[in-house]
Amino acid sequence: MLAGYRRAFGLALRGVALRGRAVGPGPGPGLGLWPGLRAVSTSWSPVGAAFDAKQQRGSAPGRETGLFGVPELSCPEGFQEAQDKALQESEQLVQKACSTPPGPEIVKIFDQLSDALCRVADLADFVKIAHPDFAFREAAEEACRNIGTMVEKLNTDVELCQSLRKLLADEVVMNSLDPETRRVAELFMFDFEISGIHLDEEKRKKAVNLNIRILDLCNEFLTGTHLPNKIDKHILPEHIRYNFTAEGNYLQVAGLHADCPDDLVREAAYKIFLYPNAEQLSRLEELLASRNSLAQLVGYDTFAHRALQGTMAKNPETVTQFLEKLSDQLSKRTQKDFEMMTKMKMKLNPQNSKLMPWDHPYYSGVLRAERYNIDPGLYCPFFSLGACMDGLNSLFSQLLGISLYAEQTQRGEVWSEDVRKLAVVHETEGLLGYIYCDFFQRPDKPHQDCHFTVRGGRLRENGEYQLPVVVLMLSLPPSTRNAPTLLSPGMMENLFHEMGHAMHSMLGRTRYQHVTGTRCSTDFAEVPSILMEYFANDYRVVNQFARHYKTGQPLPKNMVSRLCESKKVCAAADMQLQVFYASLDQIYHGKHPLQKSTTEILKETQEKFYGLPYVPNTAWHLRFSHLVGYGAKYYSYLMSRAVASMVWKQCFAQDPFDRAMGERYRREMLAHGGGKEPILMVQGMLQKSPSVEDFVDALVSDLDQDFETFITDS
């Protein structure tokens, strides 16, 4: 998932997708945040060994630096210094933009302005979530807020906008610009327009205040989605209390316990964790109302209409059509899945055989394991983290000519001693960028798999390329005395998914950082990551790296086949659940005032698009963290999966190591970042412009069982 998403004047911050989610040689002009980066290094080492090493690697000797090599960030107070420099540089660039005549230089100045703000905001966006030191998190949070406030003011700066408007109005100059520069100019203008630049001064101020309030509400709501609920322990039967954390006379319920085999535990967790919270409900209602007010203030019918500008879908009407057609196609399959789950529940629990929402994840897993003899414990020994990283390295090398190398970090450069730094190196182009791998569990670390852009790539004024820097965050178990870190099949697939985002960031080498890498429409940004899941489920790929960590034995082909086919068991019901989430998101961000309460809408939408009953006195929507980062865009996961499916089947299914096809994939889909319309990138890869029906057909066809595998291996 991409962590955090916000589209604003220079901030197209991508980073929560919450699989729910948001980085040059030489120092920057004015803001010397980034030290020079080498084109070659003698400190690189093989990637797999760095992750399977039993001992934690120390930092390189030498003077201490700051986070990500930024000298100021050796202490929390450094964020204030970095922020002040960024704001000072921004003021100078605004003056420069306002005094520069129409021409390509205007776009370059705007992008420099965007980069100056993002160099601090992107980095702070990660640190506020992941740093183990509260003082660092607090300082980063404050920097995010202050930079965000500046962005909203710039978005409504009439004089600044006028300098760009003059360029766009000059037909001769515009015709002389290359397509990427024209698109970036248009995107900057779009940022002005959706922020209300056309309004009078009073309404512009109102738009700024709404944006700032929305930012605060998003942070408050997101925090609330993760908070545990407490209950008097005497309310629960004594024999299930041990499943929850005790706190005096109370039990703390911090999740749904979806994998617990005890029906009563799952039921209790569901009802307690999802019990309505009045403050959280108030935040959600104000957030939805504020988003709608902002959208209408700047000229859109709904927030969804505003949010979907520039996406593959283009408008909420297309999204609704897509979701309804998909739901219709899934209906009969979903009903069969629910019937299978009900029979399994009846078999294991005859006293209470009615299928409830807390049963779906558990019984679908039981069915998969029973039908295909899938035990994750049988697979983990073949998926050591080092072997998986070697597998990714081999795949990228064959497909794209890219190798991953572990590089030793400097003291103070990373926030935890188990973070690994990877150099991404192309066989002819050299060093492309850096990936910081924050892969292991630790106290207070968010349990979500995310990709964060820390610094975007761009062509600098001196002709050198500012290398991208990203963080991949996972929640893997650490190695033990007797074994390296071993991944379940799901963890392995998630690793491939997040690496798909990272490669997009590395290879989206645009001239402008405003559209670099994953800074593109949300319904396109998930395509490269989901496509990597198809590689992770192909035996030809898995066979290159899956070896038992003790014996070196390769993972048998029939085990891979069974694992892949098992994922299709109850897959229609799983997809139907995603349709429900996406539909709820669309309704919440559709026409206001809402006709009913958010909870009543939840109940109606669940019964229409999902099928399992709503449970009274529960409020799942108050835990729906994707409403923050993916507001009106949750459908993106489904649409991106449809595109990824088409790309896989048409381009890579025959040969997943086809270098010519890999180069075409880079050229048509990865290289442009957000510098080209998303549907044009898809069209370039597939040689056709897919319709809504094509999207639906691609998703549904993925559900079909491979009966040869089933007959042979079950």
Side-chain angles (χ1 to χ4, degrees):
M1 131 189 147
L2 293 171
Y5 171 82
R6 163 160 101 250
R7 178 90 201 175
F9 173 74
L11 294 177
L13 304 184
R14 307 250 185 223
V16 223
L18 308 163
R19 257 182 87 139
R21 51 85 64 56
V23 344
L31 180 58
L33 280 181
W34 294 93
L37 298 176
R38 299 180 301 281
V40 294
S41 175
T42 57
S43 65
W44 290 340
S45 59
V47 66
F51 287 92
D52 270 354
K54 292 289 193 297
Q55 300 296 325
Q56 302 291 1
R57 300 189 328 147
S59 297
R63 67 182 180 83
E64 186 168 339
T65 184
L67 291 173
F68 298 101
V70 178
E72 289 91 339
L73 299 185
S74 59
C75 62
E77 293 74 21
F79 270 107
Q80 181 68 49
E81 183 180 353
Q83 168 199 300
D84 290 346
K85 287 182 178 179
L87 296 178
Q88 182 180 359
E89 182 183 356
S90 298
E91 290 177 3
Q92 294 170 353
L93 287 168
V94 168
Q95 293 175 5
K96 186 176 180 181
C98 293
S99 60
T100 300
E105 184 65 21
I106 286 287
V107 183
K108 293 178 184 177
I109 296 169
F110 268 71
D111 196 63
Q112 290 174 46
L113 178 54
S114 173
D115 183 59
L117 295 168
C118 283
R119 284 205 306 270
V120 177
D122 282 343
L123 192 155
D125 218 34
F126 167 72
V127 172
K128 75 176 185 181
I129 292 172
H131 202 289
D133 186 333
F134 175 76
F136 265 102
R137 295 199 303 270
E138 190 174 44
E141 177 73 51
E142 181 64 17
C144 280
R145 178 176 172 78
N146 292 335
I147 295 288
T149 299
M150 168 60 84
V151 166
E152 300 308 339
K153 290 178 179 177
L154 291 176
N155 278 336
T156 53
D157 186 315
V158 175
E159 188 179 1
L160 182 63
C161 177
Q162 190 60 29
S163 67
L164 185 63
R165 200 185 298 278
K166 288 177 182 176
L167 168 65
L168 293 170
D170 192 322
E171 190 173 337
V172 174
V173 175
M174 286 298 290
N175 287 337
S176 70
L177 301 180
D178 62 272
E180 184 182 18
T181 301
R182 279 202 305 273
R183 177 165 170 80
V184 171
E186 290 164 355
L187 286 174
F188 277 124
M189 181 54 70
F190 173 67
D191 291 340
F192 279 121
E193 290 171 348
I194 65 172
S195 297
I197 194 67
H198 53 286
L199 303 174
D200 60 40
E201 184 176 359
E202 183 179 346
K203 289 181 178 178
R204 287 199 306 274
K205 287 181 180 177
K206 184 178 180 181
V208 170
N209 291 333
L210 275 170
N211 268 309
I212 293 171
R213 180 57 183 154
I214 288 169
L215 187 60
D216 289 340
L217 286 167
C218 283
N219 289 332
E220 293 169 12
F221 181 80
L222 190 59
T223 299
T225 62
H226 302 302
L227 293 178
N229 276 341
K230 293 180 181 179
I231 189 171
D232 189 319
K233 68 180 182 181
H234 299 99
I235 294 177
L236 294 183
E238 188 172 355
H239 70 280
I240 71 168
R241 294 175 191 169
Y242 74 92
N243 290 279
F244 308 107
T245 303
E247 209 174 79
N249 287 324
Y250 291 91
L251 295 175
Q252 195 175 84
V253 182
L256 295 176
H257 292 249
D259 296 326
C260 181
D262 190 323
D263 288 359
L264 187 57
V265 171
R266 294 196 313 278
E267 179 180 354
Y270 189 93
K271 291 180 175 178
I272 297 167
F273 186 64
L274 299 184
Y275 191 78
N277 177 288
E279 290 183 2
Q280 184 75 341
L281 179 61
S282 177
R283 291 185 197 109
L284 176 60
E285 290 173 343
E286 187 181 352
L287 173 60
L288 297 177
S290 297
R291 282 175 166 173
N292 181 73
S293 295
L294 176 63
Q296 293 193 330
L297 180 65
V298 300
Y300 292 90
D301 290 341
T302 68
F303 180 80
H305 283 91
R306 178 180 184 266
L308 296 181
Q309 290 287 306
T311 62
M312 280 197 294
K314 297 190 183 302
N315 56 66
E317 290 78 18
T318 300
V319 174
T320 299
Q321 182 188 19
F322 167 60
L323 294 173
E324 289 182 347
K325 284 180 180 291
L326 179 56
S327 185
D328 289 343
Q329 289 291 313
L330 292 173
S331 179
K332 290 182 180 179
R333 293 173 185 253
T334 300
Q335 192 58 41
K336 288 181 180 179
D337 287 351
F338 285 153
E339 289 171 1
M340 287 194 298
M341 289 185 236
T342 300
K343 288 178 182 177
M344 179 57 71
K345 184 175 183 180
M346 190 180 301
K347 176 182 174 182
L348 299 179
N349 185 6
Q351 290 84 17
N352 183 13
S353 61
K354 184 179 181 181
L355 197 68
M356 298 298 290
W358 54 81
D359 293 323
H360 177 168
Y362 176 72
Y363 284 108
S364 60
V366 171
L367 284 165
R368 292 183 187 106
E370 181 181 81
R371 181 173 295 188
Y372 288 99
N373 189 26
I374 299 299
D375 177 359
L378 297 175
Y379 288 84
C380 291
F382 294 91
F383 294 140
S384 74
L385 177 56
C388 293
M389 293 302 296
D390 279 337
L392 283 162
N393 191 38
S394 174
L395 176 62
F396 293 147
S397 176
Q398 294 174 77
L399 205 59
L400 298 164
I402 283 173
S403 297
L404 307 174
Y405 295 97
E407 180 172 305
Q408 197 166 27
T409 56
Q410 301 297 311
R411 284 188 298 136
E413 185 178 350
V414 295
W415 49 101
S416 180
E417 64 178 1
D418 56 11
V419 173
R420 299 287 184 267
K421 179 183 180 182
L422 301 183
V424 181
V425 183
H426 189 270
E427 60 191 16
T428 59
E429 298 169 31
L431 182 61
L432 298 182
Y434 287 106
I435 303 171
Y436 287 83
C437 300
D438 187 356
F439 282 174
F440 302 104
Q441 299 167 355
R442 62 174 176 269
D444 297 326
K445 180 182 175 181
H447 288 282
Q448 58 191 45
D449 297 342
C450 287
H451 163 280
F452 294 83
T453 295
V454 172
R455 180 177 63 173
R458 74 181 182 103
L459 186 63
R460 293 171 54 81
E461 294 69 51
N462 61 6
E464 296 177 327
Y465 198 79
Q466 175 174 289
L467 299 182
V469 178
V470 304
V471 176
L472 296 189
M473 190 167 74
L474 305 177
S475 296
L476 303 179
S479 59
T480 66
R481 181 179 299 177
N482 300 318
T485 291
L486 301 177
L487 278 60
S488 68
M491 291 174 182
M492 183 271 285
E493 186 177 282
N494 287 354
L495 172 62
F496 271 64
H497 177 102
E498 299 306 332
M499 269 293 180
H501 284 312
M503 283 302 108
H504 196 184
S505 290
M506 295 298 111
L507 293 173
R509 291 171 70 80
T510 54
R511 185 183 314 172
Y512 304 101
Q513 81 86 34
H514 194 60
V515 292
T516 187
T518 59
R519 300 198 204 281
C520 55
S521 80
T522 312
D523 55 8
F524 181 82
E526 291 293 336
V527 173
S529 54
I530 294 174
L531 180 62
M532 284 299 295
E533 296 177 23
Y534 286 87
F535 285 95
N537 287 288
D538 187 280
Y539 176 72
R540 294 163 295 181
V541 175
V542 174
N543 186 52
Q544 290 207 338
F545 68 88
R547 298 288 184 274
H548 196 287
Y549 76 98
K550 286 184 177 178
T551 67
Q553 173 194 355
L555 182 64
K557 183 176 182 180
N558 68 332
M559 286 183 67
V560 178
S561 299
R562 291 204 308 269
L563 179 64
C564 294
E565 288 304 299
S566 74
K567 294 176 182 179
K568 298 178 182 179
V569 176
C570 300
D574 294 343
M575 192 175 291
Q576 190 76 59
L577 183 60
Q578 295 299 308
V579 173
F580 157 47
Y581 294 163
S583 300
L584 184 68
D585 175 43
Q586 287 298 304
I587 295 170
Y588 281 167
H589 291 102
K591 188 174 178 58
H592 276 243
L594 297 174
Q595 297 302 303
K596 297 181 179 180
S597 72
T598 55
T599 304
E600 289 172 320
I601 291 170
L602 169 72
K603 178 178 183 294
E604 286 186 1
T605 310
Q606 180 169 331
E607 291 171 353
K608 177 181 178 182
F609 284 103
Y610 185 31
L612 295 185
Y614 165 77
V615 180
N617 293 316
T618 63
W620 177 84
H621 55 309
L622 302 184
R623 301 286 185 179
F624 192 10
S625 55
H626 285 79
L627 290 174
V628 171
Y630 279 61
K633 296 181 180 181
Y634 191 84
Y635 77 91
S636 296
Y637 285 109
L638 289 166
M639 192 167 283
S640 289
R641 182 166 294 280
V643 173
S645 174
M646 287 186 273
V647 171
W648 170 259
K649 291 168 187 171
Q650 183 174 318
C651 305
F652 295 110
Q654 186 172 352
D655 179 6
F657 308 111
D658 185 336
R659 180 62 181 271
M661 196 60 72
E663 292 295 342
R664 178 176 156 193
Y665 173 55
R666 177 184 179 180
R667 183 176 64 252
E668 296 291 349
M669 297 192 77
L670 298 180
H672 304 286
K676 189 175 181 180
E677 281 194 45
I679 199 64
L680 295 180
M681 291 188 275
V682 174
Q683 187 175 329
M685 191 68 192
L686 298 176
Q687 298 298 296
K688 64 173 284 189
S689 184
S691 64
V692 167
E693 289 75 18
D694 291 330
F695 291 144
V696 171
D697 290 344
L699 290 171
V700 174
S701 67
D702 275 353
L703 304 176
D704 293 332
Q705 295 281 349
D706 181 341
F707 287 103
E708 181 181 350
T709 299
F710 178 75
I711 292 169
T712 304
D713 296 326
S714 62

